[in-house]
Amino acid sequence: MRYWVGLCVLILTILAISFVVAANINVLVPSTNVRTLAEIYLKYTYYPWDKYFTAMSPEACTSIVWDFRGLDTVFETMVFYLAIIGAIALARGVPLKLPKEIKGDLGLSLIVKTVTKIVPVLIIAVAGSIALHGHLTPGGGFQGGATAAVAPVLILVVFSQFYLLRRGVNKNSMLLLRSIGLTGIGITAFAAVLIGLATGHYAFVLQNQPKPLAPDISLPAFVGGQLISGSLWFFNFFEFLAVAAGFTIVFLLITLPEKLAEAREEKRVAEGGEK
Amino acid sequence: MSYGEAVLLGITALAAIFSTIATYMAIMERDLLKAVIFSAIQSTIYAFIYYMLMAPDIDLVYIPVAVGLYPAVIIALIKKTTREEKP
């Protein structure tokens, strides 16, 4: 009874707020006209006629995220990796290795496994296309990485964790992949400065196309006739690697069988190891 | 506003109400596994709403995180603790 009363009150509140907003639509709802800042972003996102302000990417979101507001995204990336480091630090000392005592087939039934053999391939393919086309169509590095991370989660649940560990998908290999991604993001951010130092020109950190104060340095917008939007493609690719690997580490640690870890810890202490 | 736009916005508004109902059911449910499923239903409806509001970039990150990874984390957590919420 209380359940249904609560639900009715909730829905009536929503409808009342909707009614008030709809009745005062001229006051409460902002105008649908595009505002000046949005106009500038939409105009310059792909605008080869003014090379000093364009990001050379037809995808407005990616050009804002990695070019116009690139520094914000670098800090966001930092926050995400601090969270991953926190998860790894919580599971410190927990060995993520293939135990000798477990043999044979693990996981769910044959029907589920057969279906799951096909699906992760498709997930990885879609994720790669989301990430590598991130500067052309909706999507980008984080989106692609998060999509790719669903594949190992599916394998973890259906085939068990040891299936991944046997094939080399463990904490260290994923940490390596994640570090490659982060290093790549750093190198791409400093690429224009490094080119500037080598050629003796003035350049900015996180610079993509030429700027009024640094007109001589730019990253190539086209490679072999294909639009790669300068630094945007590299940012998307390295972010894809780092996010996919980061999520995979967290899921490997979360799904670790606790009894196994405890038994191994007891054995280690019994053998004279430190507690 | 054309007739088609009004219909699409109406569908979006209905979806929003259903998402609120799903959230309410997720909060009130004592069986935590069912609560996760209700929460995932709410996430699915949100993904649809993001699509209708022309935010495909948000949608592409929202679907794997909120429909795939987040329920997986919570279900792993429930498996390691208890399934019933104590009153």
Side-chain angles (χ1 to χ4, degrees):
Chain A
M1 187 62 199
R2 236 181 99 194
Y3 185 87
W4 294 107
V5 170
L7 194 59
C8 289
V9 169
L10 191 70
I11 292 172
L12 283 177
T13 316
I14 294 169
L15 291 178
I17 294 172
S18 313
F19 182 74
V20 171
V21 172
N24 301 293
I25 195 156
N26 295 325
V27 189
L28 293 175
V29 177
S31 91
T32 50
N33 293 333
V34 182
R35 271 161 274 181
T36 327
L37 184 65
E39 256 175 21
I40 293 172
Y41 279 152
L42 289 174
K43 180 181 172 191
Y44 283 111
T45 178
Y46 185 82
Y47 196 70
W49 300 277
D50 185 349
K51 60 177 186 167
Y52 289 138
F53 289 102
T54 177
M56 290 299 284
S57 158
E59 226 284 288
C61 287
T62 302
S63 50
I64 289 172
V65 162
W66 279 121
D67 189 323
F68 298 136
R69 300 248 144 237
L71 199 58
D72 289 5
T73 314
V74 170
F75 282 113
E76 268 173 40
T77 307
M78 202 179 77
V79 169
F80 179 72
Y81 295 111
L82 280 178
I84 301 283
I85 288 168
I88 296 170
L90 273 179
R92 66 190 178 281
V94 178
L96 204 62
K97 283 179 201 152
L98 189 65
K100 285 174 194 149
E101 55 265 32
I102 290 185
K103 286 192 180 96
D105 269 359
L106 293 161
L108 303 182
S109 72
L110 187 67
I111 299 169
V112 187
K113 279 185 179 174
T114 310
V115 175
T116 315
K117 273 176 193 163
I118 307 165
V119 175
V121 183
L122 303 178
I123 292 177
I124 300 279
V126 169
S129 118
I130 290 174
L132 301 181
H133 281 184
H135 59 295
L136 302 174
T137 50
F142 196 93
Q143 286 90 329
T147 308
V150 176
V153 172
L154 210 59
I155 295 172
L156 273 178
V157 173
V158 174
F159 286 89
S160 97
Q161 186 177 46
F162 305 113
Y163 183 89
L164 281 181
L165 293 179
R166 261 183 215 144
R167 280 154 186 80
V169 181
N170 53 33
K171 194 171 88 179
N172 289 340
S173 65
M174 288 295 109
L175 263 178
L176 180 71
L177 204 60
R178 172 185 163 280
S179 306
I180 290 172
L182 285 184
T183 315
I185 290 174
I187 290 174
T188 314
F190 281 96
V193 175
L194 294 177
I195 296 170
L197 282 176
T199 56
H201 289 102
Y202 194 74
F204 294 106
V205 176
L206 282 166
Q207 187 184 342
N208 180 6
Q209 297 305 310
K211 293 282 165 277
L213 287 175
D216 303 313
I217 301 294
S218 74
L219 297 177
F222 289 91
V223 167
Q226 293 292 321
L227 181 66
I228 66 157
S229 309
S231 62
L232 300 187
W233 188 89
F234 295 98
F235 275 135
N236 275 340
F237 176 66
F238 288 122
E239 177 90 358
F240 167 69
L241 290 184
V243 169
F247 271 127
T248 309
I249 293 173
V250 171
F251 276 93
L252 280 174
L253 292 175
I254 283 176
T255 51
L256 186 79
E258 272 171 22
K259 276 182 188 161
L260 205 69
E262 276 168 16
R264 204 177 289 155
E265 177 70 11
E266 276 167 16
K267 196 179 158 198
R268 199 176 61 82
V269 171
E271 282 170 359
E274 271 183 48
K275 220 174 188 179
Chain B
M1 192 189 290
S2 72
Y3 179 72
E5 274 179 10
V7 169
L8 289 181
L9 274 180
I11 293 172
T12 312
L14 261 181
I17 288 187
F18 281 125
S19 78
T20 319
I21 295 172
T23 313
Y24 180 80
M25 287 163 91
I27 293 169
M28 298 300 281
E29 183 60 54
R30 289 242 178 264
D31 185 342
L32 293 176
L33 205 57
K34 279 186 189 168
V36 173
I37 292 168
F38 287 135
S39 184
I41 291 173
Q42 175 254 316
S43 304
T44 314
I45 299 174
Y46 269 26
F48 172 72
I49 293 174
Y50 277 129
Y51 182 73
M52 296 302 283
L53 295 179
M54 290 185 274
D57 291 84
I58 304 290
D59 214 7
L60 281 174
V61 74
Y62 192 83
I63 292 171
V65 170
V67 183
L69 302 179
Y70 151 76
V73 170
I74 305 289
I75 288 172
L77 197 70
I78 290 170
K79 190 171 179 292
K80 295 195 174 190
T81 53
T82 55
R83 190 171 159 173
E84 292 288 321
E85 184 186 343
K86 292 196 181 80

